[in-house]
Amino acid sequence: MRELINNMQKPKYYLTTIIVLLLLYPVLIFTNGFIEGWNSHPDFTEEKLKIALENGESVEGKTVEVEVVDVLDSPIMGNLFYTSNDLVFQSEVDNGVKIGQSGKVKIRDAYKIAGTWVINYNIEKDGE
């Protein structure tokens, strides 16, 4: 009889375990989005980056989501691409950036030439 009662209590423990796991699952899923490098959101949009630069904020090491509207290979300045906010992104290496692409880049440094912000960057990939 005692064995029968003990066997009847086991499903209750299984049910409790399942309920606890179901309650913890959303917490685990939502906290993963805040771990750096795991589908992290960029620090700036193009508009907010331009405002930050104009206000003199330090943007080195930050990331920005960009959309390419024009590309230029310059023998003097390297590979350049332009965004809709009159920002120029410069790289010494050919990253294969094409018109219409969008993505996240990491800012190395930024400086202003003739009223235009030129930003040295590295391509940022998820998980890096």
Side-chain angles (χ1 to χ4, degrees), residues 48-61:
K48 290 181 181 179
L49 174 62
K50 191 168 186 178
I51 292 168
L53 289 168
E54 294 295 340
N55 290 335
E57 294 179 32
S58 175
V59 296
E60 294 173 14

PDB file of all heavy atoms in Angstrom, residues 48-61:
ATOM      1  N   LYS A  48      21.061  59.197 -34.939  1.00  0.00           N
ATOM      2  CA  LYS A  48      21.585  59.419 -33.594  1.00  0.00           C
ATOM      3  C   LYS A  48      23.100  59.536 -33.596  1.00  0.00           C
ATOM      4  O   LYS A  48      23.670  60.279 -32.792  1.00  0.00           O
ATOM      5  CB  LYS A  48      21.122  58.311 -32.654  1.00  0.00           C
ATOM      6  CG  LYS A  48      19.637  58.392 -32.353  1.00  0.00           C
ATOM      7  CD  LYS A  48      19.200  57.313 -31.397  1.00  0.00           C
ATOM      8  CE  LYS A  48      17.699  57.441 -31.155  1.00  0.00           C
ATOM      9  NZ  LYS A  48      17.203  56.395 -30.248  1.00  0.00           N
ATOM     10  N   LEU A  49      23.762  58.823 -34.499  1.00  0.00           N
ATOM     11  CA  LEU A  49      25.210  58.938 -34.612  1.00  0.00           C
ATOM     12  C   LEU A  49      25.600  60.349 -35.042  1.00  0.00           C
ATOM     13  O   LEU A  49      26.515  60.947 -34.472  1.00  0.00           O
ATOM     14  CB  LEU A  49      25.764  57.920 -35.616  1.00  0.00           C
ATOM     15  CG  LEU A  49      27.258  58.048 -35.918  1.00  0.00           C
ATOM     16  CD1 LEU A  49      28.091  57.833 -34.656  1.00  0.00           C
ATOM     17  CD2 LEU A  49      27.671  57.076 -37.005  1.00  0.00           C
ATOM     18  N   LYS A  50      24.914  60.883 -36.035  1.00  0.00           N
ATOM     19  CA  LYS A  50      25.230  62.229 -36.509  1.00  0.00           C
ATOM     20  C   LYS A  50      25.025  63.258 -35.395  1.00  0.00           C
ATOM     21  O   LYS A  50      25.856  64.152 -35.199  1.00  0.00           O
ATOM     22  CB  LYS A  50      24.389  62.580 -37.729  1.00  0.00           C
ATOM     23  CG  LYS A  50      24.844  63.835 -38.419  1.00  0.00           C
ATOM     24  CD  LYS A  50      24.196  63.992 -39.763  1.00  0.00           C
ATOM     25  CE  LYS A  50      24.791  65.195 -40.497  1.00  0.00           C
ATOM     26  NZ  LYS A  50      24.233  65.346 -41.819  1.00  0.00           N
ATOM     27  N   ILE A  51      23.956  63.123 -34.637  1.00  0.00           N
ATOM     28  CA  ILE A  51      23.703  64.034 -33.511  1.00  0.00           C
ATOM     29  C   ILE A  51      24.806  63.908 -32.466  1.00  0.00           C
ATOM     30  O   ILE A  51      25.312  64.912 -31.951  1.00  0.00           O
ATOM     31  CB  ILE A  51      22.311  63.752 -32.899  1.00  0.00           C
ATOM     32  CG1 ILE A  51      21.219  64.140 -33.887  1.00  0.00           C
ATOM     33  CG2 ILE A  51      22.136  64.476 -31.577  1.00  0.00           C
ATOM     34  CD1 ILE A  51      19.838  63.646 -33.504  1.00  0.00           C
ATOM     35  N   ALA A  52      25.200  62.669 -32.152  1.00  0.00           N
ATOM     36  CA  ALA A  52      26.264  62.444 -31.164  1.00  0.00           C
ATOM     37  C   ALA A  52      27.576  63.056 -31.626  1.00  0.00           C
ATOM     38  O   ALA A  52      28.294  63.684 -30.838  1.00  0.00           O
ATOM     39  CB  ALA A  52      26.432  60.950 -30.908  1.00  0.00           C
ATOM     40  N   LEU A  53      27.902  62.910 -32.898  1.00  0.00           N
ATOM     41  CA  LEU A  53      29.136  63.498 -33.428  1.00  0.00           C
ATOM     42  C   LEU A  53      29.096  65.017 -33.341  1.00  0.00           C
ATOM     43  O   LEU A  53      30.075  65.658 -32.946  1.00  0.00           O
ATOM     44  CB  LEU A  53      29.361  63.048 -34.872  1.00  0.00           C
ATOM     45  CG  LEU A  53      29.743  61.581 -35.058  1.00  0.00           C
ATOM     46  CD1 LEU A  53      29.649  61.186 -36.530  1.00  0.00           C
ATOM     47  CD2 LEU A  53      31.128  61.320 -34.511  1.00  0.00           C
ATOM     48  N   GLU A  54      27.964  65.609 -33.715  1.00  0.00           N
ATOM     49  CA  GLU A  54      27.823  67.069 -33.663  1.00  0.00           C
ATOM     50  C   GLU A  54      27.910  67.591 -32.229  1.00  0.00           C
ATOM     51  O   GLU A  54      28.363  68.708 -32.001  1.00  0.00           O
ATOM     52  CB  GLU A  54      26.510  67.511 -34.314  1.00  0.00           C
ATOM     53  CG  GLU A  54      26.424  67.247 -35.802  1.00  0.00           C
ATOM     54  CD  GLU A  54      27.435  68.034 -36.638  1.00  0.00           C
ATOM     55  OE1 GLU A  54      27.963  69.069 -36.170  1.00  0.00           O
ATOM     56  OE2 GLU A  54      27.710  67.584 -37.767  1.00  0.00           O
ATOM     57  N   ASN A  55      27.478  66.780 -31.258  1.00  0.00           N
ATOM     58  CA  ASN A  55      27.532  67.177 -29.848  1.00  0.00           C
ATOM     59  C   ASN A  55      28.888  66.878 -29.206  1.00  0.00           C
ATOM     60  O   ASN A  55      29.061  67.116 -28.014  1.00  0.00           O
ATOM     61  CB  ASN A  55      26.423  66.495 -29.052  1.00  0.00           C
ATOM     62  CG  ASN A  55      25.057  67.026 -29.413  1.00  0.00           C
ATOM     63  OD1 ASN A  55      24.915  68.149 -29.879  1.00  0.00           O
ATOM     64  ND2 ASN A  55      24.037  66.209 -29.203  1.00  0.00           N
ATOM     65  N   GLY A  56      29.815  66.318 -29.970  1.00  0.00           N
ATOM     66  CA  GLY A  56      31.157  66.056 -29.453  1.00  0.00           C
ATOM     67  C   GLY A  56      31.284  64.809 -28.606  1.00  0.00           C
ATOM     68  O   GLY A  56      32.275  64.642 -27.902  1.00  0.00           O
ATOM     69  N   GLU A  57      30.307  63.925 -28.666  1.00  0.00           N
ATOM     70  CA  GLU A  57      30.380  62.685 -27.889  1.00  0.00           C
ATOM     71  C   GLU A  57      31.423  61.738 -28.479  1.00  0.00           C
ATOM     72  O   GLU A  57      31.658  61.727 -29.677  1.00  0.00           O
ATOM     73  CB  GLU A  57      29.015  61.984 -27.887  1.00  0.00           C
ATOM     74  CG  GLU A  57      27.934  62.732 -27.161  1.00  0.00           C
ATOM     75  CD  GLU A  57      26.596  62.011 -27.197  1.00  0.00           C
ATOM     76  OE1 GLU A  57      26.591  60.754 -27.207  1.00  0.00           O
ATOM     77  OE2 GLU A  57      25.578  62.709 -27.238  1.00  0.00           O
ATOM     78  N   SER A  58      32.030  60.927 -27.622  1.00  0.00           N
ATOM     79  CA  SER A  58      32.970  59.911 -28.081  1.00  0.00           C
ATOM     80  C   SER A  58      32.182  58.721 -28.633  1.00  0.00           C
ATOM     81  O   SER A  58      31.313  58.175 -27.956  1.00  0.00           O
ATOM     82  CB  SER A  58      33.861  59.447 -26.936  1.00  0.00           C
ATOM     83  OG  SER A  58      34.682  58.382 -27.362  1.00  0.00           O
ATOM     84  N   VAL A  59      32.476  58.327 -29.868  1.00  0.00           N
ATOM     85  CA  VAL A  59      31.756  57.223 -30.498  1.00  0.00           C
ATOM     86  C   VAL A  59      32.678  56.049 -30.820  1.00  0.00           C
ATOM     87  O   VAL A  59      32.232  55.049 -31.369  1.00  0.00           O
ATOM     88  CB  VAL A  59      31.026  57.692 -31.785  1.00  0.00           C
ATOM     89  CG1 VAL A  59      29.959  58.714 -31.433  1.00  0.00           C
ATOM     90  CG2 VAL A  59      32.001  58.256 -32.799  1.00  0.00           C
ATOM     91  N   GLU A  60      33.943  56.160 -30.469  1.00  0.00           N
ATOM     92  CA  GLU A  60      34.910  55.096 -30.770  1.00  0.00           C
ATOM     93  C   GLU A  60      34.512  53.806 -30.059  1.00  0.00           C
ATOM     94  O   GLU A  60      34.157  53.802 -28.888  1.00  0.00           O
ATOM     95  CB  GLU A  60      36.313  55.523 -30.354  1.00  0.00           C
ATOM     96  CG  GLU A  60      36.826  56.685 -31.164  1.00  0.00           C
ATOM     97  CD  GLU A  60      38.151  57.229 -30.648  1.00  0.00           C
ATOM     98  OE1 GLU A  60      38.811  56.548 -29.834  1.00  0.00           O
ATOM     99  OE2 GLU A  60      38.500  58.329 -31.071  1.00  0.00           O
ATOM    100  N   GLY A  61      34.526  52.698 -30.816  1.00  0.00           N
ATOM    101  CA  GLY A  61      34.178  51.397 -30.268  1.00  0.00           C
ATOM    102  C   GLY A  61      32.690  51.116 -30.249  1.00  0.00           C
ATOM    103  O   GLY A  61      32.279  50.019 -29.916  1.00  0.00           O
TER     104      GLY A  61
END
